[in-house]
């Protein structure tokens, strides 16, 4: 089961869908609401949330290179792009993302 609700064939297809044509599963909405209750509202932009998520990958791949788990940044990028479908907006893998942002700015 995932984030979205998929109606069975012939049962209300196309009804109640949110913008973008996807209906978030009500159980997921309930879980998120319970999980976030009492949490401070950080007022993050979509770009800030995206950057925070992508930097987690960047941190890990740099450690993989440091510990010789991957031999070259290109191999790490290819592994994450083809293996996990790494963030398409990053225009490459996590090493490419770090290089684009700049190592000094990233750190």
């Amino acid at each position: 089961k995932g984030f979205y609700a998929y109606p069975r064939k012939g049962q209300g297809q196309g009804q109640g869908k949110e913008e973008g044509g996807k209906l978030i599963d009500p159980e997921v909405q309930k879980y998120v609401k319970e999980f976030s209750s009492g949490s401070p509202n950080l007022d993050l932009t979509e770009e800030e949330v995206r950057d925070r998520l992508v930097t987690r990958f960047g941190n890990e791949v740099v450690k993989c290179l440091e510990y010789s788990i991957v031999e070259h940044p290109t191999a790490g990028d290819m592994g994450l792009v083809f293996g996990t479908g790494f963030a398409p907006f990053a225009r490459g893998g996590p090493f490419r993302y770090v290089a684009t942002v700049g190592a000094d700015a990233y750190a």
Side-chain angles (χ1 to χ4, degrees):
K1 192 165 184 172
F3 292 106
Y4 300 106
Y6 301 97
R8 294 184 186 168
K9 262 190 171 173
Q11 292 185 345
Q13 289 194 1
Q15 296 177 353
K17 289 191 177 185
E18 296 179 356
E19 189 175 329
K22 297 178 181 177
L23 177 64
I24 297 175
D25 190 310
E27 288 181 43
V28 171
Q29 289 177 334
K30 180 182 173 192
Y31 174 76
V32 169
K33 188 174 184 176
E34 288 174 11
F35 182 78
S36 63
S37 66
S39 297
N41 184 356
L42 301 176
D43 289 326
L44 299 173
T45 66
E46 184 177 324
E47 184 178 350
E48 290 170 322
V49 171
R50 186 174 52 221
D51 287 345
R52 285 181 177 208
L53 293 171
V54 171
T55 56
R56 301 302 180 256
F57 279 99
N59 294 343
E60 293 302 318
V61 297
V62 169
K63 286 294 185 186
C64 288
L65 188 62
E66 183 180 326
Y67 294 132
S68 299
I69 294 168
V70 292
E71 293 181 18
H72 194 272
T74 304
D77 281 348
M78 289 178 62
L80 278 164
V81 168
F82 292 115
T84 68
F86 178 78
F89 61 82
R91 308 271 191 268
F95 283 110
R96 173 78 174 199
Y97 178 78
V98 172
T100 301
V101 171
D104 291 336
Y106 183 82

